[in-house]
Amino acid sequence: QVQLVESGGGWVQAGGSLRLACVPATKIWRFTVMAWYRQAPGQQRELVAALTNGGRTTYADSVKGRFTISRDNAKNTLSMQMNTLTPEDTGVYYCNAGGFLGDPEGYWGQGTQVTVSS
């Protein structure tokens, strides 16, 4: 079973920045798509950003221009830089990896909490 370990979450004031990291237990290039999702209390989990092994990116409209997803194959790490954070960005952020977006055979991390205060 593949494990994904997230880190980088925390508490910041509105306007601040955080950088999330996801390290899988297998080689990162084995996955066609890696992505970050988030879930706020009482809300459904939503896609925040995704990156294919070909370098194509997808972002939720709410984070375009503020968040940047990237990968470092040498370090075997998926990252997401989050700038100009707002309280609406608060939630648990999950790393996901699979053959395509929404892959039922995909893998999930345990999640890392991001809290943005007003």
Side-chain angles (χ1 to χ4, degrees), residues 57-94:
T57 59
T58 299
Y59 294 96
D61 288 342
S62 61
V63 308
K64 287 181 179 178
R66 299 189 297 118
F67 291 12
T68 303
I69 188 171
S70 63
R71 69 188 181 199
D72 187 331
N73 288 340
K75 297 180 179 180
N76 203 48
T77 301
L78 176 77
S79 299
M80 185 165 69
Q81 179 68 37
M82 306 186 295
N83 297 327
T84 320
L85 287 162
T86 73
E88 288 69 39
D89 295 317
T90 293
V92 179
Y93 284 68
Y94 298 90

Side-chain angles (χ1 to χ4, degrees), residues 1-9 19-26 28 31 34-36 75-80 93-97 107-113:
Q1 184 175 11
V2 176
Q3 293 182 321
L4 306 174
V5 180
E6 303 104 332
S7 63
R19 185 175 179 85
L20 305 183
C22 171
V23 180
T26 190
I28 198 168
F31 301 108
M34 295 194 73
W36 289 98
K75 297 180 179 180
N76 203 48
T77 301
L78 176 77
S79 299
M80 185 165 69
Y93 284 68
Y94 298 90
C95 183
N96 170 263
Y107 301 94
W108 294 91
Q110 291 292 104
T112 184
Q113 177 71 43

